[in-house]
Amino acid sequence: MEFFLDTADVDEIREIAQWGILDGVTTNPSLIKKSGRDFKTVVSEIANICAGPISAEVTSMNTEGMVKEALALKNELPENVIIKVPCTPEGLAATKQLSERGISTNVTLIFSASQALLAAKAGATYVSPFIGRIDDTGADGLQLIAEIMTTWEQYPSIKTKVLAASIRHPTHVLSCMQLGAHTVTMPTKIFRQLISHPLTDKGIKAFLKDWEEVEKAGHA
Ligand code: G3P
């Protein structure tokens, strides 16, 4: 079970990393744009905050370009940076070449179990089904996670981890984990929602108030 953050905001990553349960971070070109910062600088900073795998995405659309970008990123960035590749025929070929060189990959923009299966066959370290974007079309994104996990069960030799992405709410996280997804990547807001409960806050307040009375009575 792995919990990743889906953001390129280093302040947020620092905050969640302090909780001691952050396993990795995923970025993509849109998240880098949102950060307003230089791609390699921000990924490098993230990789120094969180020891787990940090996904950095290539933007070439041909295999040669993807591999070239991947090698440059591996050369320039910290060891824990892994390469995010789009789920296209060219991306599969790049994934295969990178996996043969021992470079970890995250095959992204997966919307079907067959895409996930082909990416696994190419040697992907992670496959990223985008469940929220499937929900947005009126279909059921969690159904895709269930389908992928059922397929994986038939082939115990598959080592590729299923990384549920495009998470929209805390229930998505719990459901993905209950379906057996290895990893979930989520925005910071959802990480915060997962830990927060009004009854926990209310309970703490009451305990602290009562403890004040205990102290006042000199019984602490
Ligand atoms: O890591 C990319 C994925 O999580 C995208 O999420 O919210 O843009 O669909 P979203």
Side-chain angles (χ1 to χ4, degrees):
M1 181 181 68
E2 291 179 320
F3 291 108
F4 285 9
L5 259 177
D6 197 24
T7 181
D9 184 317
V10 289
D11 291 332
E12 291 184 353
I13 295 165
R14 223 172 257 122
E15 173 197 331
I16 305 297
Q18 280 170 1
W19 298 6
I21 55 155
L22 181 65
D23 297 304
V25 177
T26 48
T27 70
N28 62 37
S30 305
L31 293 171
I32 297 295
K33 178 186 164 195
K34 197 172 164 198
S35 78
R37 302 186 58 209
D38 173 73
F39 173 43
K40 287 178 188 163
T41 307
V42 79
V43 172
S44 184
E45 267 182 44
I46 295 170
N48 285 314
I49 298 168
C50 176
I54 311 301
S55 292
E57 190 157 343
V58 295
T59 49
S60 294
M61 284 301 117
N62 60 73
T63 304
E64 197 191 339
M66 288 181 199
V67 172
K68 202 172 154 199
E69 269 186 66
L71 294 178
L73 290 171
K74 286 302 292 176
N75 195 32
E76 293 169 48
L77 296 174
E79 183 65 25
N80 56 333
V81 170
I82 71 168
I83 308 301
K84 212 171 184 188
V85 175
C87 191
T88 58
E90 295 78 9
L92 285 187
T95 301
K96 175 84 177 169
Q97 288 186 31
L98 294 171
S99 100
E100 282 169 354
R101 287 172 180 255
I103 295 174
S104 297
T105 52
N106 172 0
V107 178
T108 189
L109 288 164
I110 287 190
F111 294 94
S112 74
S114 52
Q115 285 182 313
L117 202 51
L118 264 56
K121 188 157 173 64
T125 314
Y126 290 94
V127 287
S128 288
F130 277 27
I131 65 171
R133 292 194 194 183
I134 293 177
D135 288 355
D136 292 344
T137 68
D140 181 5
L142 286 171
Q143 188 54 42
L144 173 59
I145 301 295
E147 248 183 83
I148 296 173
M149 298 322 297
T150 305
T151 311
W152 258 225
E153 276 167 24
Q154 305 305 315
Y155 297 94
S157 60
I158 295 181
K159 298 285 175 259
T160 303
K161 290 181 179 175
V162 177
L163 193 174
S166 186
I167 297 292
R168 299 276 191 264
H169 47 77
T171 315
H172 261 162
V173 177
L174 198 58
S175 300
C176 286
M177 291 305 191
Q178 285 165 346
L179 288 167
H182 305 89
T183 313
V184 174
T185 189
M186 67 197 104
T188 312
K189 177 186 165 196
I190 294 176
F191 239 110
R192 293 192 190 113
Q193 285 174 327
L194 283 175
I195 189 66
S196 122
H197 198 289
L199 290 180
T200 305
D201 298 341
K202 193 178 167 193
I204 290 172
K205 215 172 155 189
F207 284 156
L208 290 180
K209 194 165 174 288
D210 286 342
W211 191 247
E212 268 178 33
E213 302 297 320
V214 173
E215 283 180 326
K216 263 187 215 157
H219 295 158

